[in-house]
Amino acid sequence: MRSAEETSGEDMLTLGRLGLLGGAVAGSGGLLVLLLDGAEAAGALLALLVVVALLVARYAAGAGAFDSGHRGEVRLLRTRAPGMGEWRRNVGTATGPDGALYYRAVLRPELRRLYAAALAEHHHVSLDQQPERAAELIGPELWPWLGPEPPGTGPDGEVPVDVLRRLVDRLETLGAPRTRTPHR
C-alpha cells in the first residue's frame, strides 16, 4: 500500500484527466440521447456541447482582458494602490540640477502608471495602446512629458515646477469621477 505522500500528486485530477472525464461523460450522454431520442436530438446535443466546450476553453485560455468583465479586472498597477508617496522629495529632486535624469528614471514611470490607471478606469483609454486619444485627453502641452519618448531637457536639465504642478493637476482632473448630467 502506498503512503498518502506518494499518491497525493499522482491521484490529483489534472486538466487533461478532467477533459478526458468530461469527454467520456459527454460521449455517454450523446450516445444515450441518440438511442432514446434519435439522431436529430443527438445532433442538437452535440452542437450544444461543442459551443460550451469552446466557451470554457476560451475562458480557461485567459481571454479575460477582452471578456467585458466576465473575469477579474486587468490589473494596471502592480502590487499597491496608486500614490506618489514621498511627493515633496520627488519634486525637490526632479526640480534640482539632475532633475531630468531623476524625472526620466523615477518620476516619469510613476506618473505614467498613474495616468494609465486614471485613463483606463475613468475614460476607457489605454495610454500605450491608444496614444492619440491619450494625448488628446492629457493635453498637447503636457503630452510630451508623458508620451512614448521622454522630453529632451538634456542630461542635467531641470524639470520646471510649473510642469509638475500641471501634470498633477491634470492627473487629478482625469481621475475624478465623472458626474452625470440629468437627461431632460
Side-chain angles (χ1 to χ4, degrees):
M1 181 162 207
R2 291 190 256 178
S3 70
E5 291 175 18
E6 292 176 6
T7 60
S8 64
E10 294 175 14
D11 294 337
M12 291 183 65
L13 201 55
T14 63
L15 190 57
R17 289 180 181 173
L18 187 61
L20 190 59
L21 178 64
V25 169
S28 300
L31 184 59
L32 188 61
V33 168
L34 177 66
L35 293 173
L36 295 176
D37 293 330
E40 197 172 307
L45 177 65
L46 181 64
L48 177 68
L49 289 174
V50 167
V51 168
V52 168
L54 289 174
L55 288 173
V56 168
R58 180 176 182 263
Y59 182 85
F66 303 107
D67 279 349
S68 303
H70 294 296
R71 292 181 63 159
E73 288 197 21
V74 178
R75 289 194 51 99
L76 294 173
L77 302 168
R78 293 190 179 95
T79 58
R80 60 186 174 91
M84 285 304 293
E86 305 165 7
W87 183 243
R88 290 184 193 271
R89 182 180 61 84
N90 288 340
V91 170
T93 307
T95 58
D98 293 329
L101 290 174
Y102 184 79
Y103 179 79
R104 285 188 201 127
V106 177
L107 203 52
R108 183 174 183 274
E110 187 68 20
L111 280 169
R112 281 183 58 84
R113 274 193 290 280
L114 292 170
Y115 267 89
L119 288 170
E121 183 176 343
H122 298 288
H123 302 278
H124 307 289
V125 172
S126 169
L127 183 68
D128 295 318
Q129 305 293 322
Q130 300 168 302
E132 297 85 16
R133 180 72 178 122
E136 184 180 304
L137 288 167
I138 291 169
E141 70 284 350
L142 295 177
W143 177 247
W145 294 92
L146 296 168
E149 294 296 319
T153 59
D156 57 349
E158 295 179 358
V159 177
V161 176
D162 182 53
V163 169
L164 291 176
R165 183 177 295 118
R166 287 186 293 146
L167 282 168
V168 172
D169 289 345
R170 186 67 186 138
L171 178 62
E172 288 177 353
T173 303
L174 287 172
R178 290 181 280 179
T179 58
R180 295 184 180 189
T181 57
H183 296 283
R184 294 183 183 181

